[in-house]
């Protein structure tokens, strides 16, 4: 699992290393600058040949100190380097001042920099502000806007950001001061240190970072509370040769009325494909013919109302439930009361989330970890309007929340595993565990923006729950496999393709 480090966590690691005498601030800064140069040459090998021009934009703090190191190293390679500094040279202090002295070359005020001055360069190095930024950046907005315009036309220099693109929040992935003059400089490559930051993967972060390279600073320990989802252990998905179908669980997916059963059928198919031994669709009488005409391996039971649902649950072998896809809010509200007392693992999605919002999001708080909620942004806002309002705030606001923070608070409040869906899906458990499942960078899957994809995810998680997988691990594994199935299919994907892609994805993991 890739661990992400927040601003406080990376600073704590650096401070601890310096305090025990393992390194110095200057040594870390020099190591960082060397790593940036190695990473940009690896990204663009052509830059290693011939005379090159670079514009290095430096800020007044440690990020600017890293920039001075990069400028010195590029000049040593024969580059023509122009350094632009935000603020007064005399105001530099500490390690940044030492790196500026080692540069020992001319410095131009960043306030005087124009896009015309840098557009002919082979490379622009953005070392203005990094993870320490807490306010909108306006002084460079004209240069940033000009470079952005060049990029839209496919022109202009390559841009490499040191640690984080200036103007981007390291915790939330949002740009500071949007709508009030704030700006950020989009990069082709972002070189960060020790481990990525949450903002590299959340919200707008990937659009501004381009690609992310990580330079190991040699700091002992990770200490990060936020991780990235990773490929599940094949043992999690493997079936025992000695077990029969009931040994792999029996999932029950509740369907809506006639003309509304497609979403539930998608969920049920996904639950079966991911390895649940049996999957039953519970449909009202008016929809029985419609469903039976569409399914083969799936089972079908008539469930008209709460009483029929309760009767169905007398079968103790049914160990996982899925409510919501195409269910209808009124039907979902009626059945939720049964689920509350069912003592089964359950996934609540779509219409069940709208019904839950009416009843109170903490309805299952007395069953910590047994319930998985899978809201998209709009559903999350209905369930947690106060948290959603803080999510909309600019990162400079004192009460602003990141998506990881909002999901963690929602999970703690409800006692449920919360899967906050999006290209940067966040999975949070009531005990504080949190993972990001980012369909970005080399895991990009834009084809998932199609009707029914979320229903398939709900079914995949349900199928894993039926197999006895811990709900948090089921949500993480389901989200990872969901993206992998989409990438297996590629362009032209429709939701029906996702369950059918799972066998190839699981075989590729070594599942036998």
């Amino acid at each position: 699992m890739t661990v992400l480090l927040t601003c406080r966590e990376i600073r704590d690691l650096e401070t601890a290393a310096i305090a025990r005498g393992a390194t110095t601030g200057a040594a870390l800064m020099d190591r960082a600058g060397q790593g940036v140069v190695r990473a940009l040459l690896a990204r663009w090998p052509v830059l290693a040949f011939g005379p090159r021009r670079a514009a290095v934009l430096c800020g007044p703090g440690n990020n600017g100190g890293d920039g001075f190191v990069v400028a010195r190293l590029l000049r040593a390679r024969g580059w023509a380097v122009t350094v632009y500094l935000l603020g007064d040279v005399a105001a530099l202090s500490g390690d940044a001042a030492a790196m500026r002295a080692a540069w020992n070359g001319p410095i131009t005020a960043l306030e005087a920099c124009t896009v015309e001055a840098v557009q002919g360069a082979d490379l622009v190095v953005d070392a203005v502000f990094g993870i320490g930024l807490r306010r909108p950046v306006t002084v460079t907005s004209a240069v940033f806007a000009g470079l952005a315009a060049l990029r839209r036309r496919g022109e202009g220099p390559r841009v490499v950001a040191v640690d984080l693109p200036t103007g981007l929040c390291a915790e939330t992935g949002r740009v500071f001061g949007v709508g009030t003059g704030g700006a950020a400089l989009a990069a082709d490559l972002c070189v960060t240190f020790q481990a990525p930051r949450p903002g590299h993967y959340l919200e707008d972060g990937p659009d501004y970072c381009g690609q992310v390279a990580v330079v190991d600073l040699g700091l002992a320990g990770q200490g990060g509370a936020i991780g990235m989802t990773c490929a599940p252990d094949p043992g999690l998905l493997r079936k025992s040769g000695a077990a029969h179908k009931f040994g792999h669980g029996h999932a029950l997916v509740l369907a809506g009325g006639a003309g509304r059963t497609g979403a539930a059928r998608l969920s049920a198919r996904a639950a079966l494909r991911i390895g649940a031994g049996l999957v039953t669709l519970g449909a009202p009488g008016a929809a029985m013919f419609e469903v039976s005409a569409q399914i083969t391996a799936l089972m079908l039971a008539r469930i008209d109302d709460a009483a029929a649902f309760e009767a169905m649950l007398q079968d103790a072998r049914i160990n996982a439930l899925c409510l919501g896809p195409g269910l209808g809010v009124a039907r979902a509200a009626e059945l939720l009361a049964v689920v509350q007392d069912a003592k089964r693992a359950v996934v609540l999605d779509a219409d069940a989330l709208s019904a839950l919002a009416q009843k109170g999001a903490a309805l299952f708080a007395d069953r910590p970890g047994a319930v998985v909620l899978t809201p998209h942004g709009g559903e999350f806002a209905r369930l947690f309007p106060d948290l959603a309002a803080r999510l909309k705030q600019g990162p400079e606001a004192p009460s602003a929340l990141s998506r990881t923070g909002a999901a963690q608070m929602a999970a703690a409040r409800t006692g449920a595993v919360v899967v906050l869906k999006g290209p940067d899906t966040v999975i949070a458990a009531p005990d504080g565990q949190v993972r990001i499942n980012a369909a970005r960078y080399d895991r990009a899957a834009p084809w998932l923006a199609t009707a029914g994809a979320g229903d398939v995810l709900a079914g995949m998680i349900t199928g894993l729950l039926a197999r006895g997988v811990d709900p948090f691990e089921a949500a993480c594994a389901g989200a990872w496999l969901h993206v992998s199935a989409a990438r297996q299919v590629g362009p032209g994907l429709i939701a029906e393709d996702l369950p059918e892609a799972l066998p190839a994805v699981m075989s590729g993991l070594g599942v036998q």
Side-chain angles (χ1 to χ4, degrees):
M1 179 184 71
T2 298
V3 173
L4 308 182
L5 292 174
T6 64
C7 301
R8 174 176 291 181
E9 288 164 347
I10 184 64
R11 287 192 181 115
D12 286 348
L13 289 179
E14 292 174 346
T15 300
I18 293 170
R20 65 175 178 266
T23 188
T24 65
L28 288 174
M29 199 169 281
D30 198 67
R31 201 175 301 160
Q34 292 181 43
V36 171
V37 173
R38 285 196 304 272
L40 70 88
L41 291 177
R43 172 66 178 82
W44 299 295
V46 69
L47 294 182
F49 304 100
R52 299 291 178 180
R53 288 182 53 207
V56 181
L57 317 182
C58 294
N62 286 344
N63 201 245
D66 296 339
F68 280 116
V69 176
V70 174
R72 172 169 52 84
L73 294 174
L74 291 179
R75 184 175 61 180
R77 298 182 67 89
W79 286 49
V81 181
T82 304
V83 171
Y84 296 89
L85 176 65
L86 178 63
D88 186 358
V89 175
L92 292 172
S93 61
D95 298 323
M99 297 304 110
R100 178 263 174 272
W103 157 247
N104 193 29
I107 296 174
T108 302
L110 183 57
E111 293 86 343
C113 181
T114 64
V115 69
E116 291 77 18
V118 300
Q119 67 178 349
D122 297 285
L123 181 73
V124 169
V125 179
D126 170 15
V128 184
F129 291 112
I131 63 173
L133 187 66
R134 292 293 181 271
R135 57 182 173 78
V137 176
T138 57
V139 68
T140 55
S141 58
V143 175
F144 288 2
L147 285 170
L150 289 174
R151 290 166 63 87
R152 286 193 294 271
R153 299 199 300 267
E155 304 172 3
R158 306 166 182 87
V159 177
V160 58
V162 177
D163 210 0
L164 202 76
T166 291
L168 189 73
C169 176
E171 310 293 352
T172 67
R174 296 196 290 271
V175 176
F176 287 98
V178 171
T180 60
L185 178 57
D188 300 292
L189 174 67
C190 180
V191 184
T192 193
F193 310 112
Q194 195 65 24
R197 313 288 171 258
H200 289 128
Y201 290 95
L202 294 173
E203 303 213 32
D204 300 322
D207 294 328
Y208 281 89
C209 293
Q211 295 181 358
V212 176
V214 180
V215 172
D216 184 5
L217 294 181
L219 301 173
Q222 288 289 337
I226 303 173
M228 300 292 295
T229 58
C230 58
D233 188 309
L236 193 74
L237 304 169
R238 188 174 294 125
K239 284 192 172 184
S240 167
H244 55 74
K245 59 188 177 185
F246 282 106
H248 298 293
H250 184 177
L252 175 60
V253 180
L254 280 298
R260 294 175 57 89
T261 66
R265 286 188 278 110
L266 283 171
S267 298
R269 180 78 172 179
L272 194 63
R273 274 293 188 193
I274 212 160
L278 297 90
V279 180
T280 295
L281 272 160
M288 292 287 284
F289 180 78
E290 175 184 318
V291 175
S292 64
Q294 297 284 339
I295 64 173
T296 303
L298 296 169
M299 300 170 68
L300 178 60
R302 180 170 179 169
I303 298 179
D304 284 308
D305 52 24
F309 188 21
E310 284 187 288
M312 184 76 182
L313 293 180
Q314 295 305 305
D315 184 346
R317 294 173 298 183
I318 296 173
N319 61 340
L321 309 174
C322 178
L323 283 81
L327 194 58
V329 176
R331 179 166 162 82
E334 178 188 7
L335 300 181
L336 272 181
V338 179
V339 175
Q340 193 174 4
D341 299 324
K343 302 299 186 287
R344 264 74 162 194
V346 59
V347 174
L348 300 181
D349 185 43
D351 291 333
L353 295 174
S354 296
L356 181 63
Q358 295 173 1
K359 290 177 175 289
L363 187 65
F364 297 93
D366 61 340
R367 297 176 57 196
V371 176
V372 180
L373 310 180
T374 58
H376 56 55
E379 292 159 345
F380 188 87
R382 288 193 288 276
L383 285 164
F384 313 103
D386 59 326
L387 302 182
R390 294 173 62 184
L391 264 177
K392 290 181 179 179
Q393 293 177 338
E396 65 276 6
S399 60
L401 277 178
S402 67
R403 282 173 61 83
T404 52
Q408 284 176 301
M409 293 177 72
R413 183 180 298 180
T414 59
V417 173
V418 174
V419 181
L420 178 52
K421 294 186 294 192
D424 51 351
T425 292
V426 175
I427 303 130
D431 64 2
Q433 294 183 83
V434 63
R435 301 285 183 272
I436 298 173
N437 186 71
R440 305 300 298 268
Y441 302 116
D442 59 348
R443 291 269 296 165
W447 322 288
L448 277 173
T450 186
D455 304 317
V456 173
L457 175 60
M460 290 168 66
I461 297 171
T462 304
L464 290 170
L465 292 176
R467 299 188 63 182
V469 179
D470 168 81
F472 179 70
E473 293 303 324
C476 291
W480 191 92
L481 291 166
H482 190 240
V483 171
S484 296
R487 290 181 56 78
Q488 179 76 26
V489 177
L493 168 85
I494 58 175
E496 290 94 321
D497 299 328
L498 290 167
E500 311 318 304
L502 283 173
V505 171
M506 292 192 285
S507 293
L509 294 175
V511 178
Q512 299 177 347

